[in-house]
Structure formats: structure tokens, C-alpha cells
């Protein structure tokens, strides 16, 4: 039975391109002072202001793409994946581009500021991709790095999660995961008022930010895994479900975007009770869209498999890493500072081409060699 990865990689690569571009557009819009973008009597700025949902899409895609080898083992159709090969691939997929950027930012800070921007413990936190556990990490050298420990820790958890799925019903596992993340969000929300978090850890050190890490986002990866499992088990029959599932996912996302446009992020705004379910609802809706995109329908290849989205998908990881850095440097150099739609257009023309170039260079000379090496080491 063909896997989601092998059958429809082009459509999923296109979705990765959308995810990375969506995040970039959010930061570009913020760099232009978050202007209102009215056209035909409609404020379209919500398409930019909700760009953080691109991160949610990345998480769902990771669960969808990485789970199939383990799910085949759970279904008794294949041997348990070789963990050495699995972790070598994950390391060489994530670490080289991140380490290169870390080195560049450390050297730039040393030259410009005359001192290293991190101490030994902070550096260890970065190198281990566990800097979310460091209570005094401070502002990250690159703000978008907060997602890297989330992804990395899912890679570490996935083999154990597969073992659990081989011994328990999926429904029970999903219920347990949802109970865990919602409880964590409740406790994190309470920490904002009580001043303490779990085990007496002060909220000023961890607090509500914990809901953004793997302990509070595991459900989104699990929804991606569920979509992959449904596609594996349905096989060719998945095409019959693609359009109704897509319609359901798009309707759910449309309702969510309308709510976010009107009320803002429930996480940042502390909107209860949506705060406790926002990430779960987003993950479920995006998982429906990912399932439909990978199901083999011609529309998915036509809409998502084109050259532009394919290119953006290939460089999506480097695009995600480098756009924020170049935008920050542009601000520090005085290249940004205006506001309004025209300023947004000017910044797009000025900054997006170099961002794409640097991202492509990073993909071509750092990411791709690492990926090729990992495949040779199977």
C-alpha cells in the first residue's frame, strides 16, 4: 500500500511552502507596522496577521509525514523502523542549517557588540535543541527558533508513541493526549494569576509559554498522524473522501480565521475557554486539509504541485529560519520604519528577493548535502 509520502510528495511540499510563506508574511506585515489592508470594503490584513498558523501547519505535516513507517509496523505490515536511520535522517534534516545560522548569529553579535551574546549553558541549550528548558535563556537569537525544540522533541517521542499505539486503541491514546494538553493549558493559564507553575516553578520562568512547547502541542502532531493512518488504511478509497473532508477542513479554518480576525489570538489574549482548545481545533482542521491534499485528487496536484509552491516548499525550512533574521537586520539598519500598505509593498520588493536567495543557498549548500548524506547512511 503506497504511503502518503511517496504518492503525493509534491502536494505536501506545496503545503510546506504555504506554511513558511504564511509565517514570513506575518513578520513582513509586522515590520510595516501592521497596516490595515482594505480592498472592496474588506480588511484583508487577517491573511497576514494569522500567519502564525503556518507553524501549526508545519506541526501537523510533521506528524503526517513521519508517522507512516511506524504505523505500518503497528498494523503488522512492516518491521519496526530502524531507529539509527530514523534519527540520522532527523539530525541531518534539522541540525546543519540551524547550526550554521547559530554560528553566523554568534559571530555577528561578537563583531558588532564586542561580546558573545550567550553563556556556556545557553550555548549548550541551543546545541542540544532543548533551550526551552533553560530558565534563564532570555530572548532567543532568532525568535522563530522557539519551534525547533517542539519539532525535535516530537521526533524523540514518535517511536515511543508508536509503541503505545501498538498496545492501545487509537481513540484512548487521542483522548489521553487531549486530556493532557488541555489540563496543561488550564494549569498554565492559572499560573498567570497564582505566580506558580507545576512543582512550584515560578511562572515568570516558564508560565503560560509552556503551552507552545511539545507538552502543549503534542495533539497537533497526533492529528497529523491520524490523517496519515486514515490515508494508509483507506488506500485508493481515500479519493472518495477527499472533497468532503477538504470542504469540512476549509470551513473549519474559515470560521477560525474569522474569529481570529475579529478577536485576535485566544492564546495571546487569554480568551477562555477557547484558549484551552485553540491549538487542538486548529490541528484537527489542518489535518483534514492535509489528508485531502495527499489523497490523490487532481485538484491537489494542480493547486499545490506547481513550480512556485514547490520551490517555496523545498526551501521552506531555510526560508523559515532566515526571513526573520534578515527582517530584523533590515530594521536595525534603518531600512524599515514606515507604515501602511505602500510600506508593506516596498518592504516586500526590498526584502523578499534576498530572503529567497539566502534561503535557496542554505538549502542548496547546507540542507541538501545533509539530506543526501543521511540517505546514504541507511
Amino acid at each position: 500500500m503506497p504511503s502518503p509520502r511517496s504518492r503525493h510528495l509534491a502536494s505536501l511540499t506545496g503545503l510546506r511552502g504555504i506554511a513558511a510563506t504564511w509565517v514570513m508574511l506575518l513578520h513582513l506585515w509586522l515590520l510595516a507596522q501592521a497596516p490595515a489592508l482594505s480592498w472592496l470594503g474588506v480588511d484583508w490584513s487577517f491573511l497576514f496577521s494569522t500567519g502564525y498558523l503556518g507553524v501549526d501547519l508545519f506541526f501537523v505535516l510533521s506528524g503526517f509525514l513521519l508517522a507512516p513507517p511506524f504505523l505500518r509496523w503497528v498494523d503488522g505490515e512492516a518491521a519496526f523502523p530502524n531507529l539509527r536511520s530514523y534519527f540520522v535522517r532527523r539530525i541531518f534534516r534539522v541540525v546543519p542549517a540551524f547550526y550554521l545560522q547559530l554560528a553566523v548569529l554568534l559571530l555577528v553579535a561578537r563583531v558588532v557588540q564586542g561580546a558573545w551574546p550567550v553563556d556556556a549553558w545557553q550555548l549548550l541549550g541551543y546545541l542540544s535543541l532543548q533551550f526551552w528548558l533553560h530558565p534563564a535563556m532570555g530572548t532567543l537569537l532568532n525568535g522563530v527558533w522557539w519551534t525547533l525544540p517542539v519539532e525535535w522533541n516530537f521526533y524523540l517521542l514518535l517511536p515511543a508513541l508508536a509503541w503505545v499505539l501498538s498496545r492501545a486503541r487509537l481513540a484512548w491514546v487521542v483522548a489521553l493526549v487531549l486530556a493532557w494538553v488541555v489540563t496543561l493549558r488550564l494549569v498554565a493559564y492559572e499560573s498567570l494569576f497564582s505566580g506558580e507553575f507545576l512543582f512550584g516553578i515560578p511562572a515568570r520562568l516558564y508560565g503560560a509559554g509552556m503551552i507552545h512547547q511539545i507538552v502543549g502541542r503534542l495533539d497537533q502532531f497526533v492529528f497529523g498522524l491520524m490523517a496519515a493512518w486514515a490515508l494508509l488504511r483507506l488506500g485508493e478509497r481515500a479519493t472518495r473522501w477527499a472533497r468532503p473532508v477538504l470542504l469540512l477542513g476549509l470551513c473549519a479554518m474559515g470560521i477560525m480565521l474569522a474569529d481570529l480576525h475579529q478577536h485576535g489570538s485566544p492564546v495571546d489574549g487569554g480568551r477562555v475557554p477557547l484558549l484551552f482548545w485553540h491549538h487542538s481545533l486548529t490541528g484537527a482542521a489542518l489535518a483534514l486539509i492535509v489528508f485531502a491534499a495527499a489523497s490523490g485528487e487532481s485538484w491537489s496536484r494542480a493547486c499545490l504541485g506547481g513550480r512556485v509552491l514547490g520551490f517555496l516548499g523545498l526551501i521552506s525550512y531555510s526560508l523559515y529560519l532566515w526571513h526573520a533574521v534578515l527582517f530584523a537586520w533590515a530594521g536595525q539598519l534603518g531600512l524599515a520604519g514606515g507604515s501602511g500598505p505602500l510600506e508593506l509593498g516596498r518592504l516586500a520588493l526590498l526584502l523578499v528577493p534576498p530572503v529567497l536567495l539566502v534561503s535557496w543557498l542554505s538549502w542548496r549548500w547546507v540542507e541538501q548535502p545533509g539530506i543526501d548524506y543521511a540517505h546514504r547512511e541507511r
Side-chain angles (χ1 to χ4, degrees):
M1 186 180 296
S3 70
R5 179 190 294 273
S6 61
R7 291 176 63 204
H8 308 296
L9 183 59
S11 296
L12 301 180
T13 299
L15 280 179
R16 287 208 313 271
I18 290 174
T21 303
W22 205 359
V23 176
M24 179 180 71
L25 290 177
L26 165 63
H27 294 144
L28 188 68
W29 179 73
L30 292 174
L31 192 63
Q33 309 300 317
L37 302 172
S38 297
W39 185 56
L40 299 178
V42 178
D43 183 6
W44 298 95
S45 58
F46 73 94
L47 295 176
F48 293 78
S49 64
T50 57
Y52 51 82
L53 296 178
V55 172
D56 301 68
L57 181 52
F58 272 129
F59 292 163
V60 172
L61 281 168
S62 290
F64 184 90
L65 289 167
L66 296 178
F70 295 95
L71 297 177
R72 288 197 192 89
W73 170 74
V74 174
D75 284 339
E77 297 179 357
F80 191 80
N82 184 299
L83 290 184
R84 178 183 180 277
S85 175
Y86 168 74
F87 283 115
V88 165
R89 288 190 180 192
R90 292 301 92 210
I91 289 170
F92 281 93
R93 183 67 186 90
V94 172
V95 167
F98 169 60
Y99 275 13
L100 173 65
Q101 186 177 74
L102 174 62
V104 169
L105 295 184
L106 288 174
L107 290 173
V108 168
R110 181 70 175 85
V111 171
V112 173
Q113 301 173 5
W116 296 108
V118 299
D119 60 28
W121 283 109
Q122 290 170 325
L123 179 61
L124 180 61
Y126 281 129
L127 293 176
S128 65
L129 285 170
Q130 298 296 345
F131 46 86
W132 68 292
L133 293 172
H134 196 305
M137 200 67 195
T139 302
L140 298 179
L141 297 179
N142 181 354
V144 302
W145 283 354
W146 72 267
T147 65
L148 299 183
V150 189
E151 285 273 352
W152 182 252
N153 285 311
F154 173 69
Y155 303 160
L156 299 179
L157 285 173
L158 181 55
L161 181 60
W163 182 86
V164 172
L165 287 170
S166 72
R167 286 158 174 79
R169 291 182 180 274
L170 175 62
W172 285 106
V173 174
V174 173
L176 182 62
V177 168
L178 288 175
W180 164 261
V181 296
V182 170
T183 299
L184 180 79
R185 293 163 192 164
L186 284 165
V187 174
Y189 180 77
E190 173 62 22
S191 75
L192 294 176
F193 300 96
S194 68
E196 290 192 354
F197 190 57
L198 294 175
F199 311 116
I201 299 174
R204 63 182 177 81
L205 298 183
Y206 289 95
M210 289 288 283
I211 68 175
H212 293 300
Q213 287 300 320
I214 188 64
V215 290
R217 302 293 279 267
L218 181 59
D219 51 341
Q220 296 190 321
F221 294 95
V222 170
F223 282 127
L225 177 152
M226 291 171 63
W229 211 349
L231 192 60
L232 282 171
R233 291 187 169 184
L234 287 172
E236 296 301 324
R237 292 175 296 162
T239 57
R240 304 175 191 173
W241 291 92
R243 294 190 181 186
V245 167
L246 175 68
L247 180 61
L248 180 60
L250 290 177
C251 286
M253 286 303 299
I255 294 171
M256 188 170 301
L257 289 173
D259 174 78
L260 294 174
H261 176 51
Q262 184 174 1
H263 302 292
S265 167
V267 177
D268 295 338
R271 284 198 286 138
V272 176
L274 187 57
L275 164 66
F276 309 129
W277 292 100
H278 170 70
H279 291 321
S280 302
L281 295 173
T282 305
L286 290 173
L288 293 175
I289 295 173
V290 169
F291 170 89
S295 64
E297 285 280 279
S298 58
W299 64 263
S300 68
R301 295 190 297 272
C303 296
L304 300 171
R307 291 185 178 181
V308 173
L309 284 181
F311 170 74
L312 293 172
L314 282 178
I315 67 169
S316 58
Y317 179 44
S318 288
L319 178 61
Y320 179 77
L321 290 178
W322 280 105
H323 83 272
V325 170
L326 295 183
F327 287 1
W329 287 349
Q332 293 166 7
L333 293 172
L335 299 178
S339 62
L342 291 180
E343 175 69 1
L344 178 63
R346 185 187 73 85
L347 290 175
L349 293 174
L350 177 67
L351 298 178
V352 171
V355 165
L356 294 177
L357 176 60
V358 171
S359 301
W360 179 81
L361 290 172
S362 174
W363 171 80
R364 176 64 181 85
W365 298 108
V366 182
E367 286 188 64
Q368 193 61 50
I371 294 170
D372 292 343
Y373 173 80
H375 279 77
R376 290 195 302 269
E377 288 296 304
R378 284 193 295 180

